[in-house]
């Protein structure tokens, strides 16, 4: 078992502790499954033994099976309870493996007593096939050591039974070289018994190799699953899925055109205010602001492209195509206006209404893809709509309003239901857009 423990350290030593914890939890779940299978097997044996006719002679009544089954049943129940409580040390698991093999071998050995036959009689029992169940059962653990312990223990146990059958009666070792005699009598054919041992060892070796390879895949899968969950915290879930499910390695320059709506949200005057606050206060305000904005955007199928200090750049229909991207952006803006109307993050420092959240949306054809270099990549959106949304958000200050959208967004969402009220402001020159933009104000109602 030292080999198994060492192997586990080798497999997971370079992994973060949370990944190791996930693997341990998976192993604990597998141990519960093993416990229930063991309990099922011993229960079936107990029922079959109870129902089967007994052939012990009254003068030599010795029944080891009830004692063995009772002890093993209690041991299995204890093991199952400990597995649920996550209290199974390696030595107890090894003892459980040995217990399986001992149970099987003692049961097989008792057959010659039960049926009052020579010891070699039990070598013909098909019950030996159960050994493959016990070996395969250990594969649930995905640790090579326990499978090897079960397989080698079974092989040694069977060799011990063969040796006992040959030496129990010194006057008649029961050995034959005649295959027909072997099949039609209680004679022992050494080659046939070695075939059984070789089969046990070969199955053990094959399972051990498969488990070794399977464990490497398990470690990789858990690590990648953990990384995917971590990615979903740094990226929008849609972007995280694109990264983790990409069929080819991502590289800078890979992207695609999308018809999308870009929403830019910002806290007016926060940059100047943050210069007068302590760093902890600045970050606390930003955390509360982002926790307020994020759920509203996601509720309307928006993806947060990035946090830009006190600004939030969100996309609708860029990460994943959305025929209602413009309508969803307007609905998100309506809910953001309501949610942030009276937002005051820290009453001890800021007066009510001191911070005002403003926003603007613009729609059009954008490029969504990966930018960066070989060391660091980032998914982002590029296009005129991105620039227009940012400039419109700045234009809210000049107009004294909180939310604007361009004419393209209004036109795309014109037929949609459940939209906020829109007031036409008209064509206006917006700094940084290179011309005039048709503008609409978004109201809460």
């Amino acid at each position: 078992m030292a080999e198994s423990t060492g192997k586990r350290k080798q497999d997971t030593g370079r992994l973060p502790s949370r990944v190791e914890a996930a693997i341990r939890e998976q192993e604990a779940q597998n141990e519960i499954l093993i416990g229930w299978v063991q309990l099922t097997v011993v229960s079936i044996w107990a029922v079959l033994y109870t129902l089967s006719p007994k052939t012990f002679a009254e003068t030599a009544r010795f029944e080891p099976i009830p004692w063995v089954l009772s002890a093993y049943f209690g041991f299995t129940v204890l093991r199952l309870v400990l597995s649920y409580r996550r209290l199974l040390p390696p030595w107890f698991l090894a003892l459980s493996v040995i217990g399986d093999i001992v149970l099987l071998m003692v049961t097989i050995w008792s057959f010659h007593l039960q049926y009052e036959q020579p010891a070699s009689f039990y070598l013909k029992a098909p019950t030996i096939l159960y050994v493959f169940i016990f070996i395969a059962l250990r594969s649930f653990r995905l640790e090579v050591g326990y499978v090897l312990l079960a397989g080698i223990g079974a092989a040694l146990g069977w060799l011990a039974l063969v040796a006992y059958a040959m030496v129990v009666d010194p006057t008649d070792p029961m050995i034959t070289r005649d295959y027909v005699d072997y099949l039609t009598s209680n004679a022992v054919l050494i080659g046939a018994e070695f075939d059984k041992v070789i089969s046990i060892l070969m199955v053990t070796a094959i399972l051990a190799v498969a488990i070794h390879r399977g464990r490497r895949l398990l470690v990789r899968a858990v690590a990648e699953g953990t990384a995917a969950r971590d990615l979903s915290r740094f990226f929008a879930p849609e972007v995280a899925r694109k990264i983790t499910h990409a069929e080819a390695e991502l590289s800078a320059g890979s992207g695609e055109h999308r018809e999308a709506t870009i929403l830019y949200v910002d806290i007016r005057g926060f940059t100047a205010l943050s210069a007068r606050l302590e760093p902890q206060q600045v970050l606390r305000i930003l955390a509360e602001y982002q926790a307020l904005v994020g759920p509203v955007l996601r509720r309307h199928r928006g993806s947060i492209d990035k946090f830009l200090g006190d600004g939030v750049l969100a996309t609708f229909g860029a990460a994943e195509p959305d025929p209602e991207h413009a309508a969803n952006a307007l609905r998100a803006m309506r809910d953001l206006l309501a949610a942030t109307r009276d937002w005051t993050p820290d009453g001890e420092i800021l007066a009510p209404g001191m911070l005002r959240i403003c926003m603007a949306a613009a729609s059009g054809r954008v490029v969504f893809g990966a930018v960066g270099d070989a060391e660091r990549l980032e998914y982002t959106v590029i296009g005129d709509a991105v620039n227009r949304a940012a400039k419109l958000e700045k234009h809210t200050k000049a107009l004294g309003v909180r939310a604007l959208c361009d004419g393209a967004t209004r036109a795309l969402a014109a037929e949609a239901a459940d939209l906020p009220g829109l007031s036409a402001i008209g064509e206006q020159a917006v700094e940084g857009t290179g011309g005039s933009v048709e503008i609409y104000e978004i109201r809460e109602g």
Side-chain angles (χ1 to χ4, degrees):
M1 298 319 299
E3 176 189 353
S4 174
T5 303
K7 184 60 182 174
R8 177 164 58 189
K9 290 180 179 179
Q10 180 180 346
D11 284 340
T12 61
R14 294 187 297 273
L15 295 175
S17 58
R18 65 184 185 279
V19 177
E20 291 185 336
I23 293 175
R24 286 194 299 270
E25 178 58 27
Q26 183 61 54
E27 290 178 342
Q29 293 294 331
N30 289 343
E31 285 299 335
I32 292 174
L33 177 60
I34 292 172
W36 279 111
V37 173
Q38 286 179 312
L39 192 61
T40 301
V41 170
V42 72
S43 299
I44 291 174
W45 281 6
V47 171
L48 292 177
Y49 181 80
T50 302
L51 297 178
S52 64
K54 309 301 183 293
T55 58
F56 286 102
E58 292 295 332
T59 57
R61 191 168 184 80
F62 174 64
E63 298 185 51
I65 294 182
W67 296 97
V68 173
L69 290 178
S70 298
Y72 188 72
F73 183 85
F75 181 82
T76 303
V77 170
L78 175 62
R79 184 189 184 286
L80 193 56
V81 171
L82 292 178
S83 66
Y84 272 105
R85 296 185 177 181
R86 309 298 194 267
L87 296 174
L88 282 176
W91 66 265
F92 193 93
L93 294 175
L95 183 62
S96 177
V97 174
I98 296 171
D100 289 340
I101 302 305
V102 170
L103 166 68
L104 183 61
M105 296 305 164
V106 170
T107 301
I108 295 174
W109 172 82
S110 70
F111 287 166
H112 79 291
L113 300 177
Q114 179 177 349
Y115 295 99
E116 298 183 316
Q117 295 292 323
S120 58
F121 173 79
Y122 57 64
L123 298 179
K124 306 295 195 333
T127 312
I128 184 60
L129 296 175
Y130 278 95
V131 77
F132 296 106
I133 296 177
F134 285 129
I135 295 172
L137 191 60
R138 297 301 155 185
S139 65
F140 283 126
R141 179 76 186 189
L142 287 180
E143 288 195 34
V144 172
Y146 295 112
V147 172
L148 292 177
L149 180 62
I152 294 173
L156 293 176
W158 191 252
L159 287 175
L161 290 182
V162 173
Y164 177 83
M166 291 190 299
V167 303
V168 66
D169 185 359
T171 62
D172 185 5
M174 304 291 290
I175 297 175
T176 184
R177 291 183 175 82
D178 188 330
Y179 188 70
V180 175
D181 182 40
Y182 162 71
L183 288 178
T184 57
S185 70
N186 289 327
V188 178
L189 183 64
I190 299 297
E193 304 312 321
F194 271 106
D195 283 345
K196 297 175 186 177
V197 173
I198 291 172
S199 297
I200 292 172
L201 293 177
M202 286 299 297
V203 168
T204 301
I206 292 170
L207 279 176
V209 172
I211 289 168
H212 174 71
R213 295 169 65 88
R215 183 172 181 83
R216 291 170 60 186
L217 290 175
L218 171 66
V219 170
R220 180 182 301 176
V222 172
E224 290 181 353
T226 303
R229 287 191 295 273
D230 289 344
L231 279 175
S232 66
R233 299 179 62 194
F234 288 91
F235 298 90
E238 301 85 358
V239 176
R241 283 196 295 270
K242 292 179 73 70
I243 295 173
T244 55
H245 295 135
E247 295 185 3
E249 183 178 358
L250 296 174
S251 59
S254 59
E256 50 198 322
H257 283 288
R258 288 273 199 263
E259 292 296 330
T261 299
I262 310 301
L263 174 61
Y264 196 90
V265 186
D266 193 40
I267 306 177
R268 185 174 298 168
F270 184 76
T271 301
L273 175 65
S274 63
R276 306 197 304 269
L277 301 177
E278 294 295 325
Q280 294 83 356
Q281 295 171 328
V282 172
L283 294 177
R284 186 169 63 248
I285 293 171
L286 285 178
E288 184 176 329
Y289 156 65
Q290 291 159 356
L292 183 67
V293 171
V296 174
L297 296 174
R298 286 188 286 271
R299 187 164 63 245
H300 294 286
R301 301 187 64 183
S303 298
I304 297 177
D305 184 274
K306 57 179 64 69
F307 293 106
L308 302 167
D310 60 321
V312 178
L313 177 61
T315 65
F316 294 79
E320 289 184 345
D322 179 8
E324 291 197 357
H325 57 84
N328 283 329
L330 293 178
R331 293 176 185 126
M333 295 173 75
R334 175 197 60 207
D335 291 354
L336 282 174
L337 287 172
T340 61
R341 183 194 313 116
D342 301 317
W343 178 62
T344 303
D346 195 330
E348 296 181 0
I349 301 174
L350 305 176
M354 189 172 182
L355 294 180
R356 196 177 189 200
I357 295 179
C358 299
M359 62 202 77
S363 300
R365 190 173 177 83
V366 299
V367 174
F368 176 73
V371 296
D373 58 23
E375 299 299 322
R376 186 182 185 278
L377 296 176
E378 179 180 283
Y379 262 103
T380 191
V381 283
I382 302 170
D384 182 60
V386 181
N387 177 67
R388 197 158 62 249
K391 300 305 180 181
L392 279 175
E393 190 282 320
K394 292 184 181 299
H395 199 62
T396 59
K397 183 176 182 180
L399 297 178
V401 299
R402 293 184 60 204
L404 296 174
C405 75
D406 65 351
T409 303
R410 190 261 181 192
L412 287 170
E415 303 300 324
D418 190 31
L419 292 179
L422 298 174
S423 296
I425 295 177
E427 294 269 350
Q428 287 200 1
V430 177
E431 183 181 356
T433 62
S436 61
V437 179
E438 184 182 4
I439 301 175
Y440 291 82
E441 180 187 0
I442 294 96
R443 301 188 302 271
E444 291 184 35

